[in-house]
Amino acid sequence: GAVVSQHPSWVICKSGTSVKIECRSLDFQATTMFWYRQFPKQSLMLMATSNEGSKATYEQGVEKDKFLINHASLTLSTLTVTSAHPEDSSFYICSARLELGTDTQYFGPGTRLTVL
Amino acid sequence: QKEVEQDPGPLSVPEGAIVSLNCTYSNSAFQYFMWYRQYSRKGPELLMYTYSSGNKEDGRFTAQVDKSSKYISLFIRDSQPSDSATYLCAMSDGKFYFGSGTKLNVKP
């Protein structure tokens, strides 16, 4: 199956700092990638849809100035949490959309962010 | 009403049992149907995807789609403790919709 990587797998930072998370599709090109947030024992919450070469589309209630998304190439999307605060602590998961013969998403392993 | 409904469980079964996981949906435009498995603190892993009504089998897993009833199922035969995870259904009509996930516990 298609492989999506995420880096880092976990990060601890101080309040007020910015954190960048990378999402890469390793063996296929993805014009669309998605960013999700997941709280413990809860389902995935879509934050934004990232399209290569254009601005991301954010879901209602997600601050685009706080969660900066860049999809600079067909294999890389980044999520930057700016001026992170403890309430931003969560599990962030990206996925890449594969539309060749099907329409599905392949997920990365996730990044656990803890803001102190 | 949610686009996709999935019983959150938890579902607890003995090892070796046949497990049936289900989702219902309301949008007849859904064309692609997926099942994901998510272990704790990991990203979801794609298990099965189907396009049309009918059954698709892969090892111990069988995905079933009934478009007329707007109902999809995932069957796990000879369930193992390693199958203990949360199972998410997902559907697409160009936009993706996920179920809330069913937590499965297979007891040794």
Side-chain angles (χ1 to χ4, degrees), chain A residues 34 36 38 43-44 59 91 93 97 101-110 112, chain B residues 32 34 36 38 41-44 46 49 88 92 94-96 98-101:
Chain A
F34 302 91
Y36 295 84
Q38 188 173 39
S43 189
L44 301 169
E59 295 299 301
F91 192 51
I93 312 173
R97 184 177 192 173
T102 181
D103 187 14
T104 188
Q105 295 182 36
Y106 290 87
F107 286 86
R112 182 158 303 281
Chain B
Y32 296 96
M34 293 142 271
Y36 291 87
Q38 186 177 23
R41 301 191 176 195
K42 299 290 184 183
L46 180 65
Y49 66 83
L88 298 157
S92 169
K95 186 175 179 181
F96 288 88
F98 286 85
S100 55

PDB file of all heavy atoms in Angstrom, chain A residues 34 36 38 43-44 59 91 93 97 101-110 112, chain B residues 32 34 36 38 41-44 46 49 88 92 94-96 98-101:
ATOM      1  N   PHE A  34      -4.541  16.073   3.721  1.00  0.00           N
ATOM      2  CA  PHE A  34      -5.460  16.524   4.762  1.00  0.00           C
ATOM      3  C   PHE A  34      -4.732  16.551   6.102  1.00  0.00           C
ATOM      4  O   PHE A  34      -3.856  15.742   6.357  1.00  0.00           O
ATOM      5  CB  PHE A  34      -6.659  15.569   4.874  1.00  0.00           C
ATOM      6  CG  PHE A  34      -7.442  15.401   3.597  1.00  0.00           C
ATOM      7  CD1 PHE A  34      -7.118  14.395   2.710  1.00  0.00           C
ATOM      8  CD2 PHE A  34      -8.502  16.233   3.306  1.00  0.00           C
ATOM      9  CE1 PHE A  34      -7.835  14.212   1.533  1.00  0.00           C
ATOM     10  CE2 PHE A  34      -9.229  16.064   2.133  1.00  0.00           C
ATOM     11  CZ  PHE A  34      -8.896  15.063   1.243  1.00  0.00           C
ATOM     12  N   TYR A  36      -5.557  16.423  10.224  1.00  0.00           N
ATOM     13  CA  TYR A  36      -6.552  16.102  11.228  1.00  0.00           C
ATOM     14  C   TYR A  36      -5.971  16.320  12.617  1.00  0.00           C
ATOM     15  O   TYR A  36      -4.770  16.280  12.834  1.00  0.00           O
ATOM     16  CB  TYR A  36      -6.980  14.626  11.123  1.00  0.00           C
ATOM     17  CG  TYR A  36      -7.690  14.245   9.859  1.00  0.00           C
ATOM     18  CD1 TYR A  36      -6.978  13.909   8.709  1.00  0.00           C
ATOM     19  CD2 TYR A  36      -9.081  14.200   9.809  1.00  0.00           C
ATOM     20  CE1 TYR A  36      -7.637  13.543   7.545  1.00  0.00           C
ATOM     21  CE2 TYR A  36      -9.742  13.828   8.652  1.00  0.00           C
ATOM     22  CZ  TYR A  36      -9.007  13.499   7.529  1.00  0.00           C
ATOM     23  OH  TYR A  36      -9.658  13.124   6.378  1.00  0.00           O
ATOM     24  N   GLN A  38      -6.780  14.883  16.642  1.00  0.00           N
ATOM     25  CA  GLN A  38      -7.516  13.859  17.361  1.00  0.00           C
ATOM     26  C   GLN A  38      -7.214  13.964  18.844  1.00  0.00           C
ATOM     27  O   GLN A  38      -6.053  13.873  19.268  1.00  0.00           O
ATOM     28  CB  GLN A  38      -7.157  12.464  16.849  1.00  0.00           C
ATOM     29  CG  GLN A  38      -8.021  11.347  17.414  1.00  0.00           C
ATOM     30  CD  GLN A  38      -7.742  10.007  16.751  1.00  0.00           C
ATOM     31  OE1 GLN A  38      -6.586   9.688  16.467  1.00  0.00           O
ATOM     32  NE2 GLN A  38      -8.784   9.228  16.508  1.00  0.00           N
ATOM     33  N   SER A  43     -12.823  10.792  17.790  1.00  0.00           N
ATOM     34  CA  SER A  43     -12.603  10.510  16.382  1.00  0.00           C
ATOM     35  C   SER A  43     -11.765  11.608  15.735  1.00  0.00           C
ATOM     36  O   SER A  43     -11.424  12.617  16.360  1.00  0.00           O
ATOM     37  CB  SER A  43     -13.945  10.381  15.667  1.00  0.00           C
ATOM     38  OG  SER A  43     -13.756   9.896  14.352  1.00  0.00           O
ATOM     39  N   LEU A  44     -11.435  11.392  14.486  1.00  0.00           N
ATOM     40  CA  LEU A  44     -10.656  12.369  13.729  1.00  0.00           C
ATOM     41  C   LEU A  44     -11.459  13.643  13.520  1.00  0.00           C
ATOM     42  O   LEU A  44     -12.649  13.596  13.236  1.00  0.00           O
ATOM     43  CB  LEU A  44     -10.302  11.795  12.359  1.00  0.00           C
ATOM     44  CG  LEU A  44      -9.505  10.501  12.338  1.00  0.00           C
ATOM     45  CD1 LEU A  44      -9.489   9.947  10.921  1.00  0.00           C
ATOM     46  CD2 LEU A  44      -8.096  10.730  12.834  1.00  0.00           C
ATOM     47  N   GLU A  59     -11.399  24.133   7.820  1.00  0.00           N
ATOM     48  CA  GLU A  59     -12.731  23.832   8.327  1.00  0.00           C
ATOM     49  C   GLU A  59     -13.182  24.946   9.273  1.00  0.00           C
ATOM     50  O   GLU A  59     -12.363  25.695   9.832  1.00  0.00           O
ATOM     51  CB  GLU A  59     -12.738  22.488   9.045  1.00  0.00           C
ATOM     52  CG  GLU A  59     -12.444  21.305   8.131  1.00  0.00           C
ATOM     53  CD  GLU A  59     -13.466  21.144   7.021  1.00  0.00           C
ATOM     54  OE1 GLU A  59     -14.673  20.980   7.331  1.00  0.00           O
ATOM     55  OE2 GLU A  59     -13.058  21.187   5.839  1.00  0.00           O
ATOM     56  N   PHE A  91      -2.962  15.148  19.169  1.00  0.00           N
ATOM     57  CA  PHE A  91      -2.385  14.210  18.197  1.00  0.00           C
ATOM     58  C   PHE A  91      -2.771  14.724  16.816  1.00  0.00           C
ATOM     59  O   PHE A  91      -3.959  14.847  16.504  1.00  0.00           O
ATOM     60  CB  PHE A  91      -2.950  12.815  18.469  1.00  0.00           C
ATOM     61  CG  PHE A  91      -2.254  11.702  17.747  1.00  0.00           C
ATOM     62  CD1 PHE A  91      -0.873  11.568  17.812  1.00  0.00           C
ATOM     63  CD2 PHE A  91      -2.960  10.763  17.029  1.00  0.00           C
ATOM     64  CE1 PHE A  91      -0.225  10.529  17.170  1.00  0.00           C
ATOM     65  CE2 PHE A  91      -2.324   9.723  16.369  1.00  0.00           C
ATOM     66  CZ  PHE A  91      -0.962   9.601  16.442  1.00  0.00           C
ATOM     67  N   ILE A  93      -2.603  14.304  12.748  1.00  0.00           N
ATOM     68  CA  ILE A  93      -2.416  13.258  11.742  1.00  0.00           C
ATOM     69  C   ILE A  93      -2.648  13.851  10.365  1.00  0.00           C
ATOM     70  O   ILE A  93      -3.630  14.570  10.157  1.00  0.00           O
ATOM     71  CB  ILE A  93      -3.401  12.085  11.937  1.00  0.00           C
ATOM     72  CG1 ILE A  93      -3.428  11.624  13.394  1.00  0.00           C
ATOM     73  CG2 ILE A  93      -3.032  10.913  11.030  1.00  0.00           C
ATOM     74  CD1 ILE A  93      -4.511  10.592  13.684  1.00  0.00           C
ATOM     75  N   ARG A  97      -4.211  11.938  -0.343  1.00  0.00           N
ATOM     76  CA  ARG A  97      -5.293  11.385  -1.158  1.00  0.00           C
ATOM     77  C   ARG A  97      -4.715  10.720  -2.393  1.00  0.00           C
ATOM     78  O   ARG A  97      -3.899  11.303  -3.107  1.00  0.00           O
ATOM     79  CB  ARG A  97      -6.226  12.512  -1.580  1.00  0.00           C
ATOM     80  CG  ARG A  97      -7.464  12.058  -2.355  1.00  0.00           C
ATOM     81  CD  ARG A  97      -8.337  13.267  -2.633  1.00  0.00           C
ATOM     82  NE  ARG A  97      -9.651  12.898  -3.117  1.00  0.00           N
ATOM     83  CZ  ARG A  97     -10.648  13.775  -3.301  1.00  0.00           C
ATOM     84  NH1 ARG A  97     -10.444  15.039  -3.011  1.00  0.00           N
ATOM     85  NH2 ARG A  97     -11.810  13.364  -3.750  1.00  0.00           N
ATOM     86  N   GLY A 101      -7.363   5.136  -9.829  1.00  0.00           N
ATOM     87  CA  GLY A 101      -8.183   3.932  -9.809  1.00  0.00           C
ATOM     88  C   GLY A 101      -9.123   3.839  -8.623  1.00  0.00           C
ATOM     89  O   GLY A 101      -9.949   2.961  -8.541  1.00  0.00           O
ATOM     90  N   THR A 102      -8.984   4.760  -7.708  1.00  0.00           N
ATOM     91  CA  THR A 102      -9.838   4.749  -6.526  1.00  0.00           C
ATOM     92  C   THR A 102      -9.850   6.166  -5.956  1.00  0.00           C
ATOM     93  O   THR A 102      -9.333   7.082  -6.558  1.00  0.00           O
ATOM     94  CB  THR A 102      -9.320   3.746  -5.475  1.00  0.00           C
ATOM     95  OG1 THR A 102     -10.210   3.751  -4.346  1.00  0.00           O
ATOM     96  CG2 THR A 102      -7.945   4.138  -4.978  1.00  0.00           C
ATOM     97  N   ASP A 103     -10.476   6.337  -4.856  1.00  0.00           N
ATOM     98  CA  ASP A 103     -10.433   7.613  -4.161  1.00  0.00           C
ATOM     99  C   ASP A 103     -10.369   7.305  -2.685  1.00  0.00           C
ATOM    100  O   ASP A 103     -11.384   7.016  -2.053  1.00  0.00           O
ATOM    101  CB  ASP A 103     -11.669   8.458  -4.482  1.00  0.00           C
ATOM    102  CG  ASP A 103     -11.567   9.860  -3.906  1.00  0.00           C
ATOM    103  OD1 ASP A 103     -10.447  10.254  -3.495  1.00  0.00           O
ATOM    104  OD2 ASP A 103     -12.585  10.565  -3.859  1.00  0.00           O
ATOM    105  N   THR A 104      -9.167   7.326  -2.153  1.00  0.00           N
ATOM    106  CA  THR A 104      -9.016   6.987  -0.751  1.00  0.00           C
ATOM    107  C   THR A 104      -7.892   7.819  -0.152  1.00  0.00           C
ATOM    108  O   THR A 104      -7.216   8.563  -0.857  1.00  0.00           O
ATOM    109  CB  THR A 104      -8.748   5.470  -0.588  1.00  0.00           C
ATOM    110  OG1 THR A 104      -8.781   5.142   0.786  1.00  0.00           O
ATOM    111  CG2 THR A 104      -7.392   5.087  -1.160  1.00  0.00           C
ATOM    112  N   GLN A 105      -7.740   7.707   1.138  1.00  0.00           N
ATOM    113  CA  GLN A 105      -6.699   8.436   1.852  1.00  0.00           C
ATOM    114  C   GLN A 105      -5.775   7.455   2.548  1.00  0.00           C
ATOM    115  O   GLN A 105      -6.230   6.458   3.109  1.00  0.00           O
ATOM    116  CB  GLN A 105      -7.308   9.354   2.924  1.00  0.00           C
ATOM    117  CG  GLN A 105      -8.163  10.467   2.397  1.00  0.00           C
ATOM    118  CD  GLN A 105      -8.676  11.362   3.517  1.00  0.00           C
ATOM    119  OE1 GLN A 105      -7.985  11.618   4.511  1.00  0.00           O
ATOM    120  NE2 GLN A 105      -9.884  11.853   3.358  1.00  0.00           N
ATOM    121  N   TYR A 106      -4.506   7.779   2.553  1.00  0.00           N
ATOM    122  CA  TYR A 106      -3.514   7.033   3.318  1.00  0.00           C
ATOM    123  C   TYR A 106      -2.974   7.961   4.392  1.00  0.00           C
ATOM    124  O   TYR A 106      -2.570   9.083   4.109  1.00  0.00           O
ATOM    125  CB  TYR A 106      -2.388   6.526   2.412  1.00  0.00           C
ATOM    126  CG  TYR A 106      -2.847   5.426   1.491  1.00  0.00           C
ATOM    127  CD1 TYR A 106      -3.412   5.715   0.255  1.00  0.00           C
ATOM    128  CD2 TYR A 106      -2.739   4.091   1.877  1.00  0.00           C
ATOM    129  CE1 TYR A 106      -3.854   4.704  -0.579  1.00  0.00           C
ATOM    130  CE2 TYR A 106      -3.175   3.078   1.042  1.00  0.00           C
ATOM    131  CZ  TYR A 106      -3.737   3.390  -0.182  1.00  0.00           C
ATOM    132  OH  TYR A 106      -4.184   2.377  -1.001  1.00  0.00           O
ATOM    133  N   PHE A 107      -2.988   7.459   5.611  1.00  0.00           N
ATOM    134  CA  PHE A 107      -2.635   8.290   6.746  1.00  0.00           C
ATOM    135  C   PHE A 107      -1.178   8.135   7.161  1.00  0.00           C
ATOM    136  O   PHE A 107      -0.579   7.065   7.024  1.00  0.00           O
ATOM    137  CB  PHE A 107      -3.518   7.931   7.946  1.00  0.00           C
ATOM    138  CG  PHE A 107      -4.927   8.437   7.827  1.00  0.00           C
ATOM    139  CD1 PHE A 107      -5.895   7.697   7.158  1.00  0.00           C
ATOM    140  CD2 PHE A 107      -5.290   9.661   8.386  1.00  0.00           C
ATOM    141  CE1 PHE A 107      -7.190   8.161   7.038  1.00  0.00           C
ATOM    142  CE2 PHE A 107      -6.587  10.132   8.270  1.00  0.00           C
ATOM    143  CZ  PHE A 107      -7.533   9.381   7.597  1.00  0.00           C
ATOM    144  N   GLY A 108      -0.638   9.215   7.699  1.00  0.00           N
ATOM    145  CA  GLY A 108       0.657   9.150   8.343  1.00  0.00           C
ATOM    146  C   GLY A 108       0.504   8.571   9.744  1.00  0.00           C
ATOM    147  O   GLY A 108      -0.615   8.369  10.220  1.00  0.00           O
ATOM    148  N   PRO A 109       1.617   8.340  10.420  1.00  0.00           N
ATOM    149  CA  PRO A 109       1.582   7.729  11.748  1.00  0.00           C
ATOM    150  C   PRO A 109       1.179   8.689  12.858  1.00  0.00           C
ATOM    151  O   PRO A 109       0.933   8.259  13.976  1.00  0.00           O
ATOM    152  CB  PRO A 109       3.017   7.245  11.943  1.00  0.00           C
ATOM    153  CG  PRO A 109       3.832   8.148  11.091  1.00  0.00           C
ATOM    154  CD  PRO A 109       2.980   8.489   9.915  1.00  0.00           C
ATOM    155  N   GLY A 110       1.107   9.965  12.545  1.00  0.00           N
ATOM    156  CA  GLY A 110       0.688  10.936  13.551  1.00  0.00           C
ATOM    157  C   GLY A 110       1.845  11.591  14.276  1.00  0.00           C
ATOM    158  O   GLY A 110       2.955  11.053  14.347  1.00  0.00           O
ATOM    159  N   ARG A 112       2.492  13.560  17.992  1.00  0.00           N
ATOM    160  CA  ARG A 112       1.940  13.956  19.296  1.00  0.00           C
ATOM    161  C   ARG A 112       2.622  15.233  19.742  1.00  0.00           C
ATOM    162  O   ARG A 112       3.836  15.259  19.929  1.00  0.00           O
ATOM    163  CB  ARG A 112       2.157  12.843  20.320  1.00  0.00           C
ATOM    164  CG  ARG A 112       1.559  13.173  21.686  1.00  0.00           C
ATOM    165  CD  ARG A 112       1.288  11.930  22.501  1.00  0.00           C
ATOM    166  NE  ARG A 112       0.416  11.006  21.825  1.00  0.00           N
ATOM    167  CZ  ARG A 112      -0.919  11.129  21.749  1.00  0.00           C
ATOM    168  NH1 ARG A 112      -1.526  12.155  22.319  1.00  0.00           N
ATOM    169  NH2 ARG A 112      -1.629  10.228  21.120  1.00  0.00           N
TER     170      ARG A 112
ATOM    171  N   TYR B  32     -17.154   5.466  -3.034  1.00  0.00           N
ATOM    172  CA  TYR B  32     -16.015   4.723  -2.515  1.00  0.00           C
ATOM    173  C   TYR B  32     -16.203   4.504  -1.022  1.00  0.00           C
ATOM    174  O   TYR B  32     -16.608   5.412  -0.299  1.00  0.00           O
ATOM    175  CB  TYR B  32     -14.711   5.479  -2.779  1.00  0.00           C
ATOM    176  CG  TYR B  32     -14.404   5.639  -4.248  1.00  0.00           C
ATOM    177  CD1 TYR B  32     -14.745   6.795  -4.919  1.00  0.00           C
ATOM    178  CD2 TYR B  32     -13.791   4.611  -4.948  1.00  0.00           C
ATOM    179  CE1 TYR B  32     -14.483   6.933  -6.270  1.00  0.00           C
ATOM    180  CE2 TYR B  32     -13.516   4.743  -6.298  1.00  0.00           C
ATOM    181  CZ  TYR B  32     -13.868   5.902  -6.953  1.00  0.00           C
ATOM    182  OH  TYR B  32     -13.607   6.035  -8.281  1.00  0.00           O
ATOM    183  N   MET B  34     -14.443   2.719   2.528  1.00  0.00           N
ATOM    184  CA  MET B  34     -13.171   2.302   3.106  1.00  0.00           C
ATOM    185  C   MET B  34     -13.343   1.877   4.554  1.00  0.00           C
ATOM    186  O   MET B  34     -14.248   2.354   5.250  1.00  0.00           O
ATOM    187  CB  MET B  34     -12.162   3.462   3.065  1.00  0.00           C
ATOM    188  CG  MET B  34     -11.746   3.855   1.661  1.00  0.00           C
ATOM    189  SD  MET B  34     -11.546   5.668   1.514  1.00  0.00           S
ATOM    190  CE  MET B  34     -13.215   6.162   1.070  1.00  0.00           C
ATOM    191  N   TYR B  36     -10.770   1.513   7.966  1.00  0.00           N
ATOM    192  CA  TYR B  36      -9.454   1.773   8.538  1.00  0.00           C
ATOM    193  C   TYR B  36      -9.390   1.132   9.921  1.00  0.00           C
ATOM    194  O   TYR B  36     -10.385   1.037  10.641  1.00  0.00           O
ATOM    195  CB  TYR B  36      -9.210   3.280   8.703  1.00  0.00           C
ATOM    196  CG  TYR B  36      -9.054   4.036   7.404  1.00  0.00           C
ATOM    197  CD1 TYR B  36     -10.165   4.537   6.739  1.00  0.00           C
ATOM    198  CD2 TYR B  36      -7.795   4.254   6.859  1.00  0.00           C
ATOM    199  CE1 TYR B  36     -10.014   5.236   5.551  1.00  0.00           C
ATOM    200  CE2 TYR B  36      -7.638   4.965   5.671  1.00  0.00           C
ATOM    201  CZ  TYR B  36      -8.760   5.454   5.032  1.00  0.00           C
ATOM    202  OH  TYR B  36      -8.606   6.147   3.860  1.00  0.00           O
ATOM    203  N   GLN B  38      -7.279   1.638  13.512  1.00  0.00           N
ATOM    204  CA  GLN B  38      -6.409   2.569  14.225  1.00  0.00           C
ATOM    205  C   GLN B  38      -6.064   2.016  15.597  1.00  0.00           C
ATOM    206  O   GLN B  38      -6.942   1.826  16.439  1.00  0.00           O
ATOM    207  CB  GLN B  38      -7.056   3.951  14.369  1.00  0.00           C
ATOM    208  CG  GLN B  38      -6.109   4.977  14.984  1.00  0.00           C
ATOM    209  CD  GLN B  38      -6.694   6.371  15.082  1.00  0.00           C
ATOM    210  OE1 GLN B  38      -7.914   6.552  15.098  1.00  0.00           O
ATOM    211  NE2 GLN B  38      -5.834   7.379  15.149  1.00  0.00           N
ATOM    212  N   ARG B  41      -2.765   5.722  19.631  1.00  0.00           N
ATOM    213  CA  ARG B  41      -1.641   6.629  19.402  1.00  0.00           C
ATOM    214  C   ARG B  41      -0.925   6.362  18.074  1.00  0.00           C
ATOM    215  O   ARG B  41       0.280   6.606  17.942  1.00  0.00           O
ATOM    216  CB  ARG B  41      -0.643   6.571  20.554  1.00  0.00           C
ATOM    217  CG  ARG B  41      -1.257   6.944  21.890  1.00  0.00           C
ATOM    218  CD  ARG B  41      -0.223   7.143  22.949  1.00  0.00           C
ATOM    219  NE  ARG B  41      -0.813   7.583  24.204  1.00  0.00           N
ATOM    220  CZ  ARG B  41      -0.134   8.103  25.211  1.00  0.00           C
ATOM    221  NH1 ARG B  41       1.165   8.255  25.106  1.00  0.00           N
ATOM    222  NH2 ARG B  41      -0.750   8.459  26.316  1.00  0.00           N
ATOM    223  N   LYS B  42      -1.687   5.853  17.106  1.00  0.00           N
ATOM    224  CA  LYS B  42      -1.143   5.644  15.772  1.00  0.00           C
ATOM    225  C   LYS B  42      -2.100   6.233  14.746  1.00  0.00           C
ATOM    226  O   LYS B  42      -3.278   6.457  15.032  1.00  0.00           O
ATOM    227  CB  LYS B  42      -0.980   4.140  15.487  1.00  0.00           C
ATOM    228  CG  LYS B  42      -0.027   3.413  16.422  1.00  0.00           C
ATOM    229  CD  LYS B  42       1.401   3.816  16.184  1.00  0.00           C
ATOM    230  CE  LYS B  42       2.347   2.998  17.053  1.00  0.00           C
ATOM    231  NZ  LYS B  42       3.758   3.428  16.883  1.00  0.00           N
ATOM    232  N   GLY B  43      -1.608   6.465  13.539  1.00  0.00           N
ATOM    233  CA  GLY B  43      -2.492   6.917  12.483  1.00  0.00           C
ATOM    234  C   GLY B  43      -3.327   5.766  11.953  1.00  0.00           C
ATOM    235  O   GLY B  43      -2.940   4.603  12.058  1.00  0.00           O
ATOM    236  N   PRO B  44      -4.491   6.054  11.401  1.00  0.00           N
ATOM    237  CA  PRO B  44      -5.330   4.997  10.833  1.00  0.00           C
ATOM    238  C   PRO B  44      -4.628   4.281   9.673  1.00  0.00           C
ATOM    239  O   PRO B  44      -3.939   4.906   8.875  1.00  0.00           O
ATOM    240  CB  PRO B  44      -6.570   5.755  10.342  1.00  0.00           C
ATOM    241  CG  PRO B  44      -6.594   7.019  11.134  1.00  0.00           C
ATOM    242  CD  PRO B  44      -5.154   7.374  11.333  1.00  0.00           C
ATOM    243  N   LEU B  46      -5.252   1.868   6.352  1.00  0.00           N
ATOM    244  CA  LEU B  46      -6.280   1.431   5.418  1.00  0.00           C
ATOM    245  C   LEU B  46      -6.302  -0.092   5.342  1.00  0.00           C
ATOM    246  O   LEU B  46      -5.302  -0.722   5.028  1.00  0.00           O
ATOM    247  CB  LEU B  46      -6.012   2.016   4.030  1.00  0.00           C
ATOM    248  CG  LEU B  46      -7.015   1.652   2.947  1.00  0.00           C
ATOM    249  CD1 LEU B  46      -8.393   2.242   3.261  1.00  0.00           C
ATOM    250  CD2 LEU B  46      -6.535   2.153   1.591  1.00  0.00           C
ATOM    251  N   TYR B  49     -10.806  -1.182   0.747  1.00  0.00           N
ATOM    252  CA  TYR B  49     -11.617  -0.183   0.062  1.00  0.00           C
ATOM    253  C   TYR B  49     -12.401  -0.868  -1.051  1.00  0.00           C
ATOM    254  O   TYR B  49     -11.929  -1.816  -1.671  1.00  0.00           O
ATOM    255  CB  TYR B  49     -10.772   0.971  -0.474  1.00  0.00           C
ATOM    256  CG  TYR B  49      -9.803   0.623  -1.575  1.00  0.00           C
ATOM    257  CD1 TYR B  49     -10.198   0.557  -2.899  1.00  0.00           C
ATOM    258  CD2 TYR B  49      -8.472   0.385  -1.266  1.00  0.00           C
ATOM    259  CE1 TYR B  49      -9.298   0.239  -3.898  1.00  0.00           C
ATOM    260  CE2 TYR B  49      -7.565   0.073  -2.252  1.00  0.00           C
ATOM    261  CZ  TYR B  49      -7.974   0.001  -3.566  1.00  0.00           C
ATOM    262  OH  TYR B  49      -7.071  -0.316  -4.539  1.00  0.00           O
ATOM    263  N   LEU B  88     -12.576   2.363  11.790  1.00  0.00           N
ATOM    264  CA  LEU B  88     -13.272   3.514  11.227  1.00  0.00           C
ATOM    265  C   LEU B  88     -13.760   3.174   9.831  1.00  0.00           C
ATOM    266  O   LEU B  88     -13.003   2.664   9.007  1.00  0.00           O
ATOM    267  CB  LEU B  88     -12.329   4.714  11.113  1.00  0.00           C
ATOM    268  CG  LEU B  88     -11.736   5.278  12.385  1.00  0.00           C
ATOM    269  CD1 LEU B  88     -10.450   6.023  12.082  1.00  0.00           C
ATOM    270  CD2 LEU B  88     -12.719   6.222  13.042  1.00  0.00           C
ATOM    271  N   SER B  92     -16.705   8.271   0.343  1.00  0.00           N
ATOM    272  CA  SER B  92     -16.342   9.428  -0.460  1.00  0.00           C
ATOM    273  C   SER B  92     -17.311   9.612  -1.619  1.00  0.00           C
ATOM    274  O   SER B  92     -17.693   8.652  -2.296  1.00  0.00           O
ATOM    275  CB  SER B  92     -14.918   9.256  -0.993  1.00  0.00           C
ATOM    276  OG  SER B  92     -14.632  10.231  -1.976  1.00  0.00           O
ATOM    277  N   GLY B  94     -16.302  12.356  -3.419  1.00  0.00           N
ATOM    278  CA  GLY B  94     -15.423  13.452  -3.800  1.00  0.00           C
ATOM    279  C   GLY B  94     -14.966  14.164  -2.542  1.00  0.00           C
ATOM    280  O   GLY B  94     -13.883  14.736  -2.481  1.00  0.00           O
ATOM    281  N   LYS B  95     -15.793  14.114  -1.540  1.00  0.00           N
ATOM    282  CA  LYS B  95     -15.453  14.595  -0.209  1.00  0.00           C
ATOM    283  C   LYS B  95     -15.546  13.394   0.727  1.00  0.00           C
ATOM    284  O   LYS B  95     -16.394  12.527   0.545  1.00  0.00           O
ATOM    285  CB  LYS B  95     -16.431  15.690   0.225  1.00  0.00           C
ATOM    286  CG  LYS B  95     -16.079  16.349   1.537  1.00  0.00           C
ATOM    287  CD  LYS B  95     -17.012  17.511   1.854  1.00  0.00           C
ATOM    288  CE  LYS B  95     -16.630  18.135   3.205  1.00  0.00           C
ATOM    289  NZ  LYS B  95     -17.529  19.257   3.566  1.00  0.00           N
ATOM    290  N   PHE B  96     -14.678  13.381   1.721  1.00  0.00           N
ATOM    291  CA  PHE B  96     -14.617  12.223   2.598  1.00  0.00           C
ATOM    292  C   PHE B  96     -15.431  12.435   3.866  1.00  0.00           C
ATOM    293  O   PHE B  96     -15.466  13.515   4.434  1.00  0.00           O
ATOM    294  CB  PHE B  96     -13.158  11.939   2.993  1.00  0.00           C
ATOM    295  CG  PHE B  96     -12.336  11.387   1.872  1.00  0.00           C
ATOM    296  CD1 PHE B  96     -11.685  12.233   0.996  1.00  0.00           C
ATOM    297  CD2 PHE B  96     -12.219  10.021   1.694  1.00  0.00           C
ATOM    298  CE1 PHE B  96     -10.935  11.739  -0.045  1.00  0.00           C
ATOM    299  CE2 PHE B  96     -11.458   9.513   0.652  1.00  0.00           C
ATOM    300  CZ  PHE B  96     -10.812  10.374  -0.220  1.00  0.00           C
ATOM    301  N   PHE B  98     -16.104  10.338   7.614  1.00  0.00           N
ATOM    302  CA  PHE B  98     -15.662   9.235   8.472  1.00  0.00           C
ATOM    303  C   PHE B  98     -16.711   8.922   9.523  1.00  0.00           C
ATOM    304  O   PHE B  98     -17.382   9.815  10.040  1.00  0.00           O
ATOM    305  CB  PHE B  98     -14.355   9.604   9.190  1.00  0.00           C
ATOM    306  CG  PHE B  98     -13.154   9.579   8.293  1.00  0.00           C
ATOM    307  CD1 PHE B  98     -12.818  10.685   7.527  1.00  0.00           C
ATOM    308  CD2 PHE B  98     -12.361   8.455   8.215  1.00  0.00           C
ATOM    309  CE1 PHE B  98     -11.712  10.665   6.691  1.00  0.00           C
ATOM    310  CE2 PHE B  98     -11.250   8.423   7.382  1.00  0.00           C
ATOM    311  CZ  PHE B  98     -10.930   9.531   6.620  1.00  0.00           C
ATOM    312  N   GLY B  99     -16.825   7.642   9.843  1.00  0.00           N
ATOM    313  CA  GLY B  99     -17.595   7.263  11.016  1.00  0.00           C
ATOM    314  C   GLY B  99     -16.806   7.622  12.266  1.00  0.00           C
ATOM    315  O   GLY B  99     -15.616   7.947  12.194  1.00  0.00           O
ATOM    316  N   SER B 100     -17.468   7.542  13.392  1.00  0.00           N
ATOM    317  CA  SER B 100     -16.818   7.927  14.647  1.00  0.00           C
ATOM    318  C   SER B 100     -15.905   6.833  15.183  1.00  0.00           C
ATOM    319  O   SER B 100     -15.120   7.065  16.088  1.00  0.00           O
ATOM    320  CB  SER B 100     -17.868   8.287  15.697  1.00  0.00           C
ATOM    321  OG  SER B 100     -18.774   7.209  15.856  1.00  0.00           O
ATOM    322  N   GLY B 101     -15.991   5.621  14.592  1.00  0.00           N
ATOM    323  CA  GLY B 101     -15.112   4.531  15.004  1.00  0.00           C
ATOM    324  C   GLY B 101     -15.768   3.597  15.999  1.00  0.00           C
ATOM    325  O   GLY B 101     -16.511   4.037  16.875  1.00  0.00           O
TER     326      GLY B 101
END
